[in-house]
Amino acid sequence: MTAVEESFLVILVPLLIVLCGILSPVLFKKGKTLAVFSSLFFVAALALNTWLLAEVQEGSALYYPSTQGIIFNAASAFVVEITLALGLLGAIYSYRYFEDEKILPPFYMLYSFFIATLIVMAVTFDVLIIYVAFEASTIAGGVLILFTKRRSATKAAVRFFVLSVIGAIIILAGILYQNFLTGSFMLEQSAFSGVPNSELVLLSALYAIGFSIKVGIFPFGLLWLPAAHSEAPTPVSAILSGVMVQIAAFAASRIIGVISPLSYELGLLLVTLGALSVIFGAALAAVEATSGSKHSRFHVSPVQIRGIKRIWAFSTSSEVGVFYMLIGLALISPALTPLFFAGILLHFLNHGLAKALLFFDSGFVIETSRTADLSLLKGLGSRVSVNGLTYLIGGFSLSLIPGTLGYNTFLEFTRGHIGMEITAVIITAALFIFFTTLYSLRIIVAGKPKAKIEYVEGKVHSHVILRIPGIVLAIAIVTLGVIVLLGANGIALEGYYHQFEEWFSVAARTISEPWVGVA
C-alpha cells in the first residue's frame, strides 16, 4: 500500500454507526434483540477501524473522497479506536441500565448518531467539518442528558447548551478569520506560511478559548461539566467524559499544532489555564467526596448531595487540563512538540479508559444501592465484589500509580524536559485523586448513611452486564500498565515498551500532519 491512498473503506466506519442508529430501532423493538443488533454494528465498525489502524503505520494515510475530506492517519484511527471501544461497552451497558425498554429504540438511535459525530471530528483536517460535527455532537449529547427524565437533568442540559453556544460562536469566529487569512478552511501548514505571526497568535487564541469552553477547562468547565456529566445516564456520562471532551481537546491540539504560532505568551496562557483546571478539578473532586455539593458547588438540584458521579465529573475537568498544558508547552518549546503531542495521545488513552471505567462502575453502584448520594449510601459490602477492585484500578490509573496505564503520564512529566512547577501540579492533582478514590470506595463498601432513610429491600437492579465494562477496562489498564512499568524500568518486556513508545512518537506527528514519511 502506498503512503497516501484513496479508500472508500474510511467512510464506512462512521457510516456503520449511523446505520446502527437508523436500522436497529426500526427493525427491532425488544430490548435484548435491539442491544445485540446495535452491538454487532459497533463490533463491525471496531473491526474495520482496527484493520485501518494497522494500515496507516509509519505515518501513511487513507482518505476519501480527496485529501481534503476524510483522512485516516495514525492519530485519527487511534482516537476512533478508543471511541468505538468505549461506545461498544456503552451500548452493551445500556441494555440493562434502562428499566423501561420503550426508551431503548430512541436512545440507541441518538447514541449511535452521537458516536458517529465524534468519529467525524477526529478524521478530518477541515475546520468546517470539525465544527459541524462538533455542533451535531453537542445537540445529540445534550438531548441524551435528558434521558434520565429528572428536572435537574433539564437544568444541566440547559447549562450544557448555553456554554456550548458561547464556545461555538468563538470557534466560528476563528473559522471565519482563518478563511479571511488563508482563503481556505483546510488545516494545511503551507496555507499559514505567509500569514504574519501576530495574526496566527490571534487566530490560535480564538480557537484555544472557544474549544476550552467545550473541553471543560477552568473556569468554564466548572459551570457545566459537573452538572451535565453527572446528570446524564451512566453510559452517556462515560462517553461525555471518556470521549467527547477528549476529542474536543484533540481537535484543539490538531488546529493549534498546524497553525503553530511563535508565542511564548499564548503558550504560557494555555499552560496556566491547564494547570488551574488540573488543580481545581482534582481538589473539588475530593471536596465532593468528603463534604458534598454544599461546598463543591455547581449543583443543579436544590437538594445537596455527595454525588459519586459528580466526583468523577470534577475529575474530568482536572484531566482535560493536562491536554491544554501539553499544547501550551508545545508552543513554548516547538522543538519538543512531537514529545508533547505523544503525551496527548497517551493521556487520551489513559483518561478515556480510566474515566469510562469509573463512570460505568459508579453507575453499577447507583443501580445496586438505588442512590447516587454517598451520604445516603448503605455500604454494599460483598455485593460490590470484583467491581470494587476495578473501581480502585480506574482511580489508581488517574492517580498515576505504577502498574496502571497512568504511570506513563507520570513518566512523561518527570523526564527532565518539563519544569518542576508543572510536575508538582500533576503530582498534587494525582494525590487528590488517590485520596478521593480510596475515600469514596470505603464509603461504597462499608459506609453508613448520614441520614435516617428507608431502603427498598428485595431484588435490586444489579445485572451482571453492568459489571462487564469495568472488568474489561480494568484488564486493559493493568495489562498496558504492567508493560509500561516493566519496560520503562528495564525489568522485562522492553521490546514491547519500546514499540509502544515508537508508535506513539510517529502517531504524534500525524495529529498536525495528515501523513508523514511520504516517499
Side-chain angles (χ1 to χ4, degrees):
M1 179 167 288
T2 57
V4 186
E5 183 174 298
E6 179 181 357
S7 175
F8 178 73
L9 291 176
V10 299
I11 202 69
L12 283 182
V13 176
L15 187 59
L16 280 170
I17 303 302
V18 171
L19 287 174
C20 169
I22 295 173
L23 296 179
S24 298
V26 172
L27 297 177
F28 304 102
K29 300 300 180 183
K30 291 185 178 180
K32 185 175 182 179
T33 310
L34 176 58
V36 169
F37 193 73
S38 297
S39 298
L40 287 175
F41 268 99
F42 273 91
V43 169
L46 182 60
L48 175 57
N49 189 77
T50 302
W51 182 82
L52 293 172
L53 182 59
E55 291 294 305
V56 293
Q57 302 301 312
E58 304 302 327
S60 61
L62 298 170
Y63 65 85
Y64 188 84
S66 70
T67 55
Q68 297 190 345
I70 298 297
I71 296 180
F72 263 72
N73 58 21
S76 298
F78 172 75
V79 168
V80 173
E81 188 83 353
I82 298 172
T83 302
L84 288 170
L86 296 181
L88 170 61
L89 292 175
I92 295 170
Y93 190 97
S94 300
Y95 164 54
R96 283 297 182 181
Y97 178 81
F98 292 104
E99 296 181 3
D100 184 2
E101 288 196 357
K102 293 180 181 179
I103 291 178
L104 289 176
F107 174 81
Y108 275 117
M109 181 180 293
L110 199 56
Y111 178 79
S112 300
F113 178 73
F114 182 44
I115 298 294
T117 58
L118 296 175
I119 291 172
V120 171
M121 275 187 67
V123 295
T124 182
F125 278 75
D126 187 319
V127 288
L128 205 55
I129 295 176
I130 292 174
Y131 178 78
V132 171
F134 201 12
E135 293 316 298
S137 72
T138 298
I139 294 170
V143 176
L144 283 168
I145 293 171
L146 299 173
F147 270 72
T148 53
K149 298 182 177 180
R150 293 191 295 263
R151 183 175 296 179
S152 55
T154 303
K155 293 181 180 179
V158 169
R159 282 193 192 181
F160 177 70
F161 281 129
V162 170
L163 269 296
S164 292
V165 167
I166 295 173
I169 291 172
I170 299 173
I171 294 172
L172 184 59
I175 292 172
L176 295 176
Y177 189 46
Q178 175 185 325
N179 185 256
F180 170 75
L181 294 174
T182 68
S184 172
F185 296 114
M186 286 300 298
L187 294 169
E188 297 174 316
Q189 291 176 340
S190 60
F192 297 95
S193 59
V195 179
N197 190 64
S198 59
E199 305 282 7
L200 297 181
V201 172
L202 177 56
L203 178 60
S204 297
L206 284 172
Y207 280 130
I209 294 171
F211 275 101
S212 72
I213 298 174
K214 287 176 167 287
V215 168
I217 294 295
F218 176 91
F220 312 112
L222 298 181
L223 300 176
W224 69 266
L225 197 150
H229 291 212
S230 61
E231 289 294 331
T234 294
V236 177
S237 298
I239 301 302
L240 286 171
S241 282
V243 178
M244 192 194 82
V245 295
Q246 295 208 117
I247 287 186
F250 175 78
S253 65
R254 169 163 285 172
I255 293 169
I256 296 173
V258 170
I259 299 172
S260 297
L262 298 175
S263 175
Y264 176 86
E265 292 76 15
L266 179 59
L268 184 60
L269 173 63
L270 298 188
V271 170
T272 302
L273 287 176
L276 288 172
S277 193
V278 167
I279 289 294
F280 274 91
L284 287 173
V287 171
E288 182 69 31
T290 55
S291 303
S293 58
K294 183 178 180 180
H295 295 97
S296 63
R297 304 294 181 176
F298 310 108
H299 193 34
V300 288
S301 172
V303 180
Q304 303 299 333
I305 66 169
R306 282 196 294 163
I308 183 171
K309 287 171 68 178
R310 277 175 53 84
I311 291 172
W312 302 117
F314 278 119
S315 168
T316 297
S317 184
S318 174
E319 298 297 332
V320 294
V322 175
F323 289 113
Y324 263 55
M325 291 177 71
L326 291 168
I327 296 171
L329 288 169
L331 293 180
I332 293 172
S333 304
L336 296 177
T337 293
L339 192 65
F340 296 131
F341 275 24
I344 285 174
L345 292 178
L346 286 164
H347 188 63
F348 193 112
L349 176 62
N350 179 52
H351 179 243
L353 300 187
K355 189 53 60 66
L357 184 161
L358 288 163
F359 270 109
F360 283 134
D361 278 357
S362 296
F364 166 77
V365 170
I366 293 168
E367 295 306 312
T368 301
S369 65
R370 297 295 190 176
T371 179
D373 188 349
L374 292 177
S375 297
L376 304 180
L377 181 63
K378 185 178 181 180
L380 298 177
S382 61
R383 282 194 288 175
V384 178
S385 186
V386 68
N387 290 88
L389 177 60
T390 60
Y391 182 92
L392 202 63
I393 289 171
F396 279 6
S397 198
L398 294 183
S399 306
L400 317 184
I401 300 297
T404 67
L405 183 56
Y407 179 60
N408 205 94
T409 301
F410 174 80
L411 293 176
E412 292 295 319
F413 280 91
T414 56
R415 280 181 171 169
H417 48 258
I418 292 178
M420 287 299 297
E421 300 86 354
I422 293 176
T423 300
V425 167
I426 295 295
I427 293 177
T428 300
L431 290 173
F432 273 123
I433 298 302
F434 180 74
F435 164 78
T436 301
T437 301
L438 293 177
Y439 189 89
S440 58
L441 182 62
R442 182 183 67 83
I443 296 173
I444 290 169
V445 175
K448 295 181 180 180
K450 287 191 174 183
K452 186 177 180 180
I453 60 173
E454 293 183 6
Y455 279 85
V456 178
E457 301 295 338
K459 186 177 180 181
V460 291
H461 187 60
S462 57
H463 196 277
V464 67
I465 285 179
L466 300 183
R467 295 180 179 271
I468 291 174
I471 296 171
V472 171
L473 292 172
I475 292 172
I477 288 171
V478 171
T479 300
L480 293 172
V482 168
I483 293 174
V484 170
L485 175 63
L486 298 180
N489 292 285
I491 300 171
L493 304 174
E494 290 181 74
Y496 290 107
Y497 176 67
H498 289 312
Q499 288 178 11
F500 186 75
E501 277 197 319
E502 288 171 8
W503 186 88
F504 276 97
S505 67
V506 172
R509 293 180 61 189
T510 65
I511 291 179
S512 55
E513 299 179 48
W515 53 83
V516 297
V518 178

